[in-house]
Amino acid sequence: MGKSYKIAAIPADGIGPEVVSAGIEVLQALADKLQTFQLDFTHYDWSSETYKKTGKYIPDGGLEDLKKHDAILFGAVGAPDVPDHISLWSLRLSICQPFQQYANVRPTRVLRGTQSPLRHCPPGKLDWVIVRENSEGEYAGQGGRSHRGWPWEIATETAIFSRVGVERIMRFAFETAQKRPRKLLTVVTKSNAQRNGMVLWDEVAKQVGGEFPDVTVDKMLVDAMTTRMVLKPETLDTVVASNLHADILSDLAAALAGSIGIAPTSNLDPTRQHPSMFEPIHGSAFDITGKGVANPVATFWTAAEMLEWLGEGTAAQKLMESVETVCERGVLTADLGGSASTKEVTAAVVAEIQKA
Ligand code: NAI
Ligand code: MG
């Protein structure tokens, strides 16, 4: 029967519960079909609803409990009546930061049966992995406000770049690039305007790069990077960027690959001391919540990334093949130009998995 994995499911807000339940259905179908591993899910109701009732997203002792799992499958957090900085910091970042999930990995490619909004961009021409620094940088939470409400009010938002933090993400990015056929890493920076943190970033990239003579490195300023992604997608492979820069670039990447509704992300603790967390890139999408039309593909791809991380590479591959076959057959949600519902796409993927 193979290994058994304990997975914590945190669907949270908006379309999160719709796509996470679709993801679990597909994962269970895969485990039943392959009989090589088992998944044991624990469901957590940590969400903005819970916060509004109890004043907390994560109950006391919650993180200790979460630690006992092999991985976390997360939906999305954010509600119209809770400020976004409260929801994000109280749930998602409250897991990522103490669990030292310092590497955020965002693969992007054009799936079979889907289309890039770019002209002449068949599957294969756009195939990237964006590695995002996930523990410090511009989202370190450093800063403050003084003279609140006065015309002379000030606010600071300080980016933090530590040598330890930059070194570990660079090493992870070089290792990621080294494992891919092209062995090409683009280091994104803004060291012309940001003359302290980003200069350290460049120096550390150069130093760590010395350990990886087989990886080709090129350096790009973040603004120029946006144009290169659009105009020359085939010249990129693995990309490393700071927390803020990669946040923006990876949403662009998802759109260039067809839709934010297909893009996955992994929040990894590469030391494996804490469970890693897997989630679709998209948010809680209030505009389509409850309509049954959310694209579950991002969560399926997320589930495949989770399996890969757990060491179930064959299952991950089988899942992605099934997803792409279903896309190719035209079973697509509205964001990809189709008219299928979340449930129809899920059922089609389950049926594909069940085929011999
Ligand atoms: P969003 O990703 O929720 O939605 C942006 C647009 O993409 C919307 O038009 C939405 O309908 C569409 N979309 C998103 N996912 C889709 C899917 N699976 N299928 C089809 N269409 C999809 O981003 P937005 O509107 O900026 O944020 C909404 C809330 O989500 C906010 O509270 C925000 O803070 C939160 N958020 C949470 C994230 C997380 O939990 N990691 C990430 C991004 C946003
Ligand atoms: Mg984002």
Side-chain angles (χ1 to χ4, degrees), residues 3 10 23 36 50 93 171 197 211 213 231 249 258 262 266 271-272 276 294 320 324 352:
K3 274 181 131 172
I10 310 176
T36 49
T50 304
L93 294 178
R171 194 159 282 118
E211 299 166 26
L231 299 176
L249 295 179
I262 63 166
S266 311
T271 71
R272 294 187 184 258
S276 292
M320 285 315 287
E324 294 199 60
E352 194 56 40

Side-chain angles (χ1 to χ4, degrees), residues 151-210:
W152 50 89
E153 179 169 359
I154 51 167
T156 58
E157 194 72 44
T158 308
I160 303 289
F161 294 91
S162 67
R163 183 173 285 277
V164 167
V166 180
E167 251 183 53
R168 66 185 184 180
I169 198 64
M170 284 299 168
R171 194 159 282 118
F172 181 86
F174 273 98
E175 283 165 2
T176 304
Q178 198 176 40
K179 284 184 206 133
R180 289 173 51 91
R182 292 174 71 186
K183 301 191 193 302
L184 169 63
L185 178 66
T186 301
V187 178
V188 174
T189 183
K190 189 65 196 175
S191 49
N192 54 346
Q194 296 175 301
R195 60 187 183 179
N196 300 298
M198 283 284 111
V199 174
L200 174 67
W201 178 266
D202 291 355
E203 285 169 12
V204 172
K206 194 149 183 263
Q207 171 209 321
V208 175

